[in-house]
Amino acid sequence: MTRLRTWLTSSDLAGIAVLALVIVVVLPLSLDIFRLNLVGKYLSYAFVAVGLVMLWGYGGILSLGQGVFFGLGGYAMAMFLKLEASDPESTKIQSTPGIPDFMDWNQLTELPFWWEPFRHLPVSLIAVLLVPTILAFIVGFAMFKRRVGGVYFAIITQAVALVLTVLIIGRQGYTGGVNGITDLKTMLGWDIRTDSAKYILYFVTCALLIGAIFLCRWIQRTKLGTLLLAMRDKEDRVRFSGYDVANFKVFAFCLAAMLCGVGGALFALQVGFMSASFVGIVPSIEMVIFAAVGGRMSLVGAVYGTLLVNFGKTFFSESFPQLWLFLMAALFIGVVMAFPNGLAGLYNDYVKPRLGRKRDLPSEPPEPKPLPATTPSHAPAAGWNPSVPRPRTDPKGVGPAVA
Amino acid sequence: MPDPPLPVHEGVSMTAAEITNIVMMQGFAGLSLFSVLLLMGLGLAIIFGQMGVINMAHGEFMTIGAYTIFLCSSLTQTYAPSFMPYYFFVAIVTAFILAFAFGWLAEWALIRHLYRRPLDTLLATWGLSLGMQQAFRSTFGAKEVSPTLPEWLLGSWMPHEGLDIPINGLFVMGLTLLVTGGVFLMLYRSRWGLRVRATVANRTMANAIGINTRKTDRMTFAIGCGIAGVAGAAFTTIGSTGPTSGSLYIVDAFLVVTFGGAASLLGTVASAFGIAQTQSVSEFFMTGSMARVLTLLLIISILMIRPQGLFAAKVRR
């Protein structure tokens, strides 16, 4: 417990506890299973948002291809579930029994070799974690070692998202094409479509999400987190201090990708299908807005942001479909222009000072208040304000530094 | 993008003339794609290449141009049918002016506050593009529309037997040539171009010698958007226009500019040519979508090896 104290302040713990209370107790008690399943779907997006807080808020690297990793995790899971759903017994009306239905429709007569490993659950689960991470490592290593960053990184990750979408849609026989991998039924004989299974999957998602938040919080509190933050603000100084900046960036990118993969797998399990529409550029950028609305520096805020944007999306596209895109547009522009720190920033600026005055006085004297200027890592969301112009080192503010 | 049927010629003996025709038409298809890509990239080469602004709404400025043509064509058809053969030229100029005006407005309302935060510009302009898409949908409906083209733009040109070259492709090519020449002249031979280049090279110094950099920024952004409008206008001769048409072009446009080397106009031309030829040559051997994957993967790998693009600008960083 004492070790825990060193990296988790009481306000962190309170924030995570409130979030846990909301998603584990309040929402399941107040929503029916259909709505709760929707929340579970949103929470699987929250993994991406949490990853983006680490990558974008802390690392200062904006990736517009997070949907790729979400998709890879989701497809890895969906491929396993699909193979289990298409055993020879239940697919005997096909011309080739025992292969997924979309392969049969596309005149494939045997399972492609790269589908074979996904017959086994452990292999599939490892693939959920490792395939996105390895791809992120390759892309990240190639780019960060050459000091490509900022805007160029965003454009190239976007191109990667486009490639994967075109590939999935173009190779219909191997991937299910536009429709994706549908009709997922059981996992090791356990029917994932029943209400009880949906409840269990929801709570598993909650547990994993809170675990992910703890992990990221721990990383933020270590020297690594401080370095990420330092790198974001003054990359050259970190480099001149003798650190290999690229390695830390690759690490942040891989971490975010792995979280996306987990989210994707949970998505496939809860929703029962996976398709290319969660891979492309549009969903990838939408995922960035989840993190931006919640506050790009706040892990807990990212979850609230995801929930809020998605509730809004569901509500408006059910009731006022015309308005939704305008609202989304206003959200993008408003978050950037008026609230660069999102919900967490609003909370820290307006709610927290009042709460603090009432509660802080009698108890909690031992924690020294660090000066925000010297230790920005201990003051997330308030320590850095992007609207304050910082001196620039390169004339254009963008572009790869030519070494 | 529908996959065209694979040209299979196995077991069919071909004469030399037929082979020449195939090569010519394939070459023309490549050139046609080249002019489309270049036209998409030119506006962005000014906005992103020169100013460093990530305008994700660039595709929507193209759509403005396309819808302008549609409006002009319906208006002409209703009120002045005899003017039909000539309206297209007036419409292109209108497309430029409208896109220019909207670009001016967008710069004033949004972009100028974000010059120091490129990544945030990206998000804000993405929001702008979503809003514009919905505005198009509310105004023109979700269905794709296409203008009534003048007679002379339809059909094809047959220099000799077995070889036919579509006129609209030639028209787009000519327009591309014109716009590219115009942009080169403006950037390197006009006072405005001088001011833009001075501002890009050293903003503080440009300010100090009396260049109004804010005004230059706004003008530059608006001209880039205007060129996007012309591009959109040209695309109406090839395909139909829907509310989300613009978003189809945006990644390609960015890749053309980035691959060429952001600050180099010549690089944009070269990269559009390279990408178009790779795409159309590989389409000869595989399906369209696989050719696209291959081309994109090639671009990504080359950008990983050479992040500054084909033609790096000689800027001291």
Side-chain angles (χ1 to χ4, degrees):
Chain A
M1 198 62 204
T2 46
R3 255 191 72 79
L4 202 69
R5 273 282 179 203
T6 58
W7 57 270
L8 213 59
T9 64
S10 56
S11 79
D12 288 339
L13 210 55
I16 297 176
V18 170
L19 177 73
L21 195 71
V22 169
I23 60 175
V24 179
V25 182
V26 176
L27 289 177
L29 286 179
S30 53
L31 298 174
D32 59 43
I33 184 63
F34 172 73
R35 293 277 163 189
L36 194 69
N37 189 234
L38 274 183
V39 176
K41 186 174 108 177
Y42 305 158
L43 288 179
S44 62
Y45 295 142
F47 282 89
V48 184
V50 166
L52 274 168
V53 168
M54 294 304 285
L55 183 66
W56 181 37
Y58 267 71
I61 308 157
L62 181 56
S63 159
L64 298 183
Q66 294 304 94
V68 168
F69 308 119
F70 185 81
L72 286 175
Y75 267 98
M77 196 72 226
M79 280 159 78
F80 169 77
L81 296 174
K82 187 68 192 172
L83 282 180
E84 192 174 300
S86 35
D87 57 297
E89 186 55 35
S90 49
T91 54
K92 57 175 180 275
I93 51 159
Q94 292 178 180
S95 49
T96 317
I99 63 170
D101 44 12
F102 59 83
M103 290 188 185
D104 195 56
W105 299 332
N106 285 283
Q107 281 91 37
L108 257 67
T109 49
E110 59 176 335
L111 202 66
F113 72 94
W114 52 274
W115 270 73
E116 286 296 340
F118 292 95
R119 286 192 188 282
H120 313 285
L121 183 61
V123 180
S124 308
L125 290 181
I126 291 170
V128 163
L129 292 174
L130 284 192
V131 172
T133 316
I134 290 170
L135 181 68
F137 181 80
I138 295 170
V139 174
F141 193 82
M143 303 198 64
F144 296 134
K145 281 289 178 190
R146 291 198 169 72
R147 303 190 185 177
V148 180
V151 173
Y152 285 75
F153 186 75
I155 291 173
I156 290 187
T157 47
Q158 207 173 30
V160 173
L162 183 66
V163 168
L164 195 67
T165 323
V166 175
L167 200 63
I168 288 175
I169 293 176
R171 308 304 275 176
Q172 195 170 359
Y174 299 96
T175 58
V178 183
N179 301 327
I181 300 180
T182 51
D183 276 335
L184 308 177
K185 297 187 177 84
T186 56
M187 184 166 82
L188 296 180
W190 177 52
D191 194 335
I192 57 170
R193 292 163 302 172
T194 59
D195 283 356
S196 66
K198 282 179 177 166
Y199 270 114
I200 292 173
L201 285 172
Y202 176 81
F203 287 118
V204 168
T205 309
C206 291
L208 284 175
L209 184 62
I210 290 167
I213 291 176
F214 270 113
L215 175 74
C216 291
R217 191 68 203 143
W218 175 67
I219 291 172
Q220 286 178 354
R221 286 283 161 163
T222 56
K223 197 173 165 189
L224 180 64
T226 316
L227 270 169
L228 278 177
L229 212 57
M231 227 166 58
R232 184 198 70 193
D233 290 341
K234 272 276 172 288
E235 187 175 327
D236 286 337
R237 283 193 200 168
V238 179
R239 187 175 286 132
F240 297 155
S241 311
Y243 291 102
D244 189 348
V245 172
N247 289 346
F248 298 110
K249 288 188 173 179
V250 172
F251 171 79
F253 193 40
C254 289
L255 174 75
M258 191 185 272
L259 287 174
C260 290
V262 175
L266 289 167
F267 176 88
L269 276 170
Q270 294 186 82
V271 181
F273 79 100
M274 187 71 211
S275 85
S277 56
F278 304 101
V279 175
I281 295 163
V282 176
S284 299
I285 298 185
E286 263 181 25
M287 289 165 182
V288 173
I289 207 66
F290 300 160
V293 167
R296 62 185 81 170
M297 296 298 289
S298 163
L299 295 165
V300 176
V303 180
Y304 289 121
T306 314
L307 288 178
L308 195 74
V309 175
N310 280 295
F311 273 129
K313 186 173 185 171
T314 311
F315 174 72
F316 278 97
S317 43
E318 277 170 6
S319 324
F320 316 98
Q322 291 269 316
L323 272 178
W324 168 242
L325 273 181
F326 283 129
L327 206 73
M328 194 81 175
L331 205 59
F332 269 98
I333 295 171
V335 157
V336 167
M337 306 269 288
F339 319 104
N341 288 317
L343 288 174
L346 291 179
Y347 172 80
N348 282 335
D349 288 352
Y350 297 106
V351 184
K352 208 174 179 183
R354 294 180 192 180
L355 285 181
R357 220 175 299 136
K358 282 178 199 156
R359 204 187 50 190
D360 268 357
L361 286 177
S363 64
E364 290 189 46
E367 196 184 333
K369 285 272 186 306
L371 288 171
T374 51
T375 52
S377 70
H378 291 261
W384 174 67
N385 185 357
S387 61
V388 177
R390 284 174 284 130
R392 287 190 293 166
T393 44
D394 54 336
K396 277 163 69 83
V398 295
V402 179
Chain B
M1 208 173 279
D3 292 353
L6 279 175
V8 181
H9 301 291
E10 284 160 288
V12 185
S13 60
M14 285 188 295
T15 60
E18 275 174 333
I19 294 174
T20 327
N21 282 346
I22 288 174
V23 170
M24 295 271 287
M25 283 201 286
Q26 199 68 31
F28 181 80
L31 282 180
S32 191
L33 187 62
F34 160 62
S35 38
V36 168
L37 284 176
L38 181 56
L39 216 44
M40 284 197 291
L42 272 177
L44 210 60
I46 293 177
I47 291 175
F48 174 56
Q50 299 293 325
M51 300 171 74
V53 172
I54 328 295
N55 183 16
M56 294 300 281
H58 196 74
E60 275 60 41
F61 284 100
M62 291 189 208
T63 319
I64 288 185
Y67 275 122
T68 311
I69 297 282
F70 171 70
L71 272 184
C72 287
S73 103
S74 352
L75 285 179
T76 317
Q77 214 169 18
T78 332
Y79 297 108
S82 58
F83 193 57
M84 271 316 270
Y86 318 106
Y87 87 91
F88 212 79
F89 299 102
V90 181
I92 285 180
V93 176
T94 320
F96 180 86
I97 293 171
L98 267 182
F100 180 93
F102 276 102
W104 184 281
L105 205 68
E107 206 275 353
W108 172 78
L110 198 64
I111 312 285
R112 68 183 171 129
H113 305 289
L114 299 168
Y115 280 125
R116 284 168 182 275
R117 297 147 58 191
L119 290 181
D120 287 351
T121 319
L122 196 158
L123 290 182
T125 49
W126 180 261
L128 181 66
S129 86
L130 288 182
M132 284 166 84
Q133 280 174 21
Q134 185 57 43
F136 295 144
R137 199 170 289 130
S138 314
T139 323
F140 297 98
K143 264 210 325 229
E144 300 212 328
V145 295
S146 32
T148 323
L149 295 174
E151 288 286 325
W152 54 268
L153 259 177
L154 307 171
S156 59
W157 174 55
M158 267 189 256
H160 60 87
E161 184 67 25
L163 177 70
D164 66 327
I165 287 172
I167 304 252
N168 55 7
L170 281 178
F171 177 76
V172 172
M173 231 177 260
L175 193 67
T176 308
L177 218 61
L178 207 70
V179 174
T180 315
V183 170
F184 263 103
L185 279 182
M186 279 199 302
L187 262 184
Y188 295 103
R189 288 286 179 272
S190 75
R191 298 296 292 177
W192 167 76
L194 195 63
R195 282 199 293 271
V196 171
R197 285 179 293 136
T199 310
V200 168
N202 192 330
R203 180 172 296 268
T204 325
M205 195 59 87
N207 248 329
I209 57 168
I211 293 174
N212 187 344
T213 49
R214 290 186 154 240
K215 218 168 130 187
T216 310
D217 283 336
R218 195 160 307 160
M219 192 68 186
T220 313
F221 189 84
I223 287 182
C225 291
I227 292 171
V230 174
F235 295 157
T236 55
T237 61
I238 305 175
S240 49
T241 310
T244 53
S245 299
S247 56
L248 299 176
Y249 304 128
I250 187 71
V251 177
D252 290 288
F254 267 107
L255 282 181
V256 167
V257 177
T258 318
F259 185 56
S264 158
L265 205 56
L266 199 66
T268 305
V269 177
S271 84
F273 186 77
I275 293 172
Q277 291 307 324
T278 316
Q279 167 91 20
S280 59
V281 167
S282 47
E283 252 171 38
F284 197 69
F285 299 103
M286 53 190 99
T287 62
S289 61
M290 281 301 110
R292 197 159 148 75
V293 168
L294 184 79
T295 316
L296 286 171
L297 280 180
L298 264 177
I299 299 171
I300 294 172
S301 346
I302 292 178
L303 276 179
M304 280 178 178
I305 296 165
R306 198 178 153 79
Q308 66 273 44
L310 293 178
F311 289 70
K314 293 182 191 68
V315 176
R316 198 188 302 161
R317 289 179 194 278

